[in-house]
Amino acid sequence: MSTDESASPVVTTVVYEACPVTGVLRAIGDKWSPAVLRLLAERGHGFNELDRSIEGISRRMLTRTLRSLEEAGYVRRTSYGPVPARVEYTLTVRGRSLREQLRALGGWAAAHDAGPTSGV
């Protein structure tokens, strides 16, 4: 193996930052996004319903995760009526297509014994 220090890096910071996969992993690579995406793939959920369905997530973290997924274009937030205010979260077309890719990744991980997939 060569230890030539004059060789330039194979992956530069510019290339890394421009990579589309880097952006996707930043948007969904946290602890809670896969769980939220999995639930929303079944059907739309209200905030409280999501909160009750994901063990261990704080309301603040759920809010941050939903906002992040919404900003990335994977989740849509719809408000109904002023009183009582009801909000429903659903996957966008982009979110549904991402869910298909995550399901494939989960299958690959299970086939290669790459750790727990827990239905992702």
Side-chain angles (χ1 to χ4, degrees):
M1 184 169 169
S2 174
T3 59
D4 185 332
E5 292 181 19
S6 65
S8 30
V10 175
V11 179
T12 65
T13 303
V14 172
V15 170
Y16 175 77
E17 294 297 329
C19 177
V21 174
T22 299
V24 171
L25 291 177
R26 277 198 181 120
I28 65 159
D30 61 81
K31 180 176 181 177
W32 301 110
S33 289
V36 170
L37 292 169
R38 180 174 181 243
L39 286 169
L40 295 180
E42 297 169 7
R43 61 180 173 76
H45 285 70
F47 181 86
N48 290 330
E49 189 176 15
L50 287 169
D51 184 41
R52 286 188 302 270
S53 299
I54 304 172
E55 185 176 332
I57 192 169
S58 69
R59 294 177 71 81
R60 180 174 182 231
M61 185 52 69
L62 178 57
T63 298
R64 290 178 67 187
T65 300
L66 287 166
R67 283 183 184 157
S68 174
L69 291 170
E70 187 179 7
E71 288 171 8
Y74 300 122
V75 170
R76 176 180 299 111
R77 179 184 188 271
T78 306
S79 297
Y80 298 99
V83 177
R86 175 166 150 54
V87 175
E88 183 178 59
Y89 294 92
T90 55
L91 290 183
T92 61
V93 171
R94 184 177 187 188
R96 285 192 300 276
S97 68
L98 173 64
R99 178 68 181 112
E100 293 169 19
Q101 302 310 311
L102 291 175
R103 186 175 290 121
L105 180 60
W108 178 88
H112 292 85
D113 196 28
T117 60
S118 62
V120 172

